[in-house]
Amino acid sequence: MVKKVFQFQYPLANKEGHLSFDGFDVEELAEEFDTPLYLISESRIRNNFKRLYNALAHNYHKIRIYYAAKANSNLSVLNILKSEGAFLDAVSPGEVFLALKTGFSPEKILFTGTSVRDDELRFIADSDVTVNIDSFSELKRLLAHVVPKVLSVRINPEIGSGHHDHCITAGRETKFGLWENETLKTYTTAKKAGVEKFGIHMHIGSGILDLEPIILAFDNLLRLAKKIHDRIGITFEFVNMGGGLGVPYKPEDNELDLSIFSKRILSLLKRRIVEYDLGTPFFCLEPGRYLVSDASILLTSVNTLKITPFKKFIGVDAGFNTLARPSMYGSYHHLLVANKLNSTQNEIYDVVGPICESGDVLARDRRLPQIEEGDLLAILNAGAYGFAMSSQYNSRPKAAEVLIKDKKCLLVRKRETFDSLLSNQQIEE
Ligand code: LLP
């Protein structure tokens, strides 16, 4: 197979060997805002949302897209998606708080927790957001506080998939969702308690480019919905297939074909709702990565070149404290040398960060142009699970985030300072 070469796609462009991002020269942005720096393109997020929504709306008329805030919970990102008409998938009280602060109305927020505490459940219920139950225990504890009008249940459709074991969230090994018996018991109990409207939910994993597992799992969900409908007399307001849509990280990865995805999943839905007498539920999905991943890059500067008898290391100022995915999952993120786009790539390097662990590797054995200290690297597809998973490990203040909106660069999250390291700490004398 011929290896595909990297193609520049909006918001990235090659301007005479220099990288531009949504119309801005990234070297100038690095100069102005310093590195490590996350850049976010507002219009790319909007394009991603519209493309997905239109592809789905083409095949079914009741669509809801819940943005999975865990991928990137920057308030500006939430605000952009809110204005596109997105609903919101929250997995923690903190995400519910941020979504409400951004102005999402509670009816548009679905809380899908796991190992949820009582006080958290009370906060969620009192906020009037819809709860997506992940255990019978959670239902009992919720009902002890309040009987919600609407309730969703996360089922385990017995088929999982994902780019890494950590990101497979259905099937035998996972803590998530309810198996059939518990599901029936949960809906029965909720209905008896007085819940009026219901949803059913699954999320089988993340970073999925092969549609087969999603289709099979969704069919399992619909079969279970029929059983619940027949036995308990529930008609579902919404069916939710969760998130998981993958994006290409490597130049040779293929994009998901949205029209095929939409056609396959929605023709299955349309067939089954007639066959199973399920009414006309909303079709919901919860993309995180798909909406934000390629709308952001991470800029990092080269400060050290180190040649050992075995390796050539490029030392940069972003580590797994800034972008955890490569060391956490062995994930590939494509790299560009922003100031040398037209140079021949004739060297092999490992790109490493400033964290004092050997696992602090952003890229291994990567073919790049000859690197010098002072060069600027752009790490692509940094918008999903990038800043969101960053930490202050090694007492390093977190990076800044800049949003490109209407041809303007806006600092939407300040770089942390040493003072940030002190926050909430006190020395007991
Ligand atoms: N819905 C639920 C219930 C989820 O748990 C998730 C992701 C999503 C939706 C969104 O999944 P997405 O469309 O973004 O694949 N940190 C990992 C990904 C973990 C995803 C956790 N749950 C990574 O960097 O690949």
Side-chain angles (χ1 to χ4, degrees), residues 139 143 147-151 190-198:
L139 176 74
L143 291 178
V147 178
K149 275 212 165 63
V150 192
L151 190 82
K191 189 161 183 240
K192 270 194 195 138
V195 176
E196 293 161 15
K197 296 182 176 174
F198 290 93

Side-chain angles (χ1 to χ4, degrees), residues 68 70-71 89 91 112 154 163 167 201 203 205-207 242-245 286-290 325 329 385 389:
K70 63 186 80 63
D89 156 40
V91 283
T112 300
R154 177 177 186 165
H163 69 82
C167 300
H201 170 276
H203 170 70
S206 197
L245 301 185
E286 293 173 344
R289 191 185 318 268
Y290 190 83
R325 302 190 74 257
Y329 312 116
Y385 309 106
M389 291 175 71

Side-chain angles (χ1 to χ4, degrees), residues 75 89 147 149 186 190 234 272 283 312 315 366 389 408-409 429:
L75 293 181
D89 156 40
V147 178
K149 275 212 165 63
T186 299
I234 282 172
R272 296 296 189 227
F283 173 76
K312 291 182 179 167
R366 205 58 73 82
M389 291 175 71
K408 286 197 289 283
C409 296
E429 297 295 350

Side-chain angles (χ1 to χ4, degrees), residues 388-399:
M389 291 175 71
S390 66
S391 74
Q392 291 181 340
Y393 185 45
N394 277 197
S395 298
R396 290 196 168 269
K398 289 194 193 180

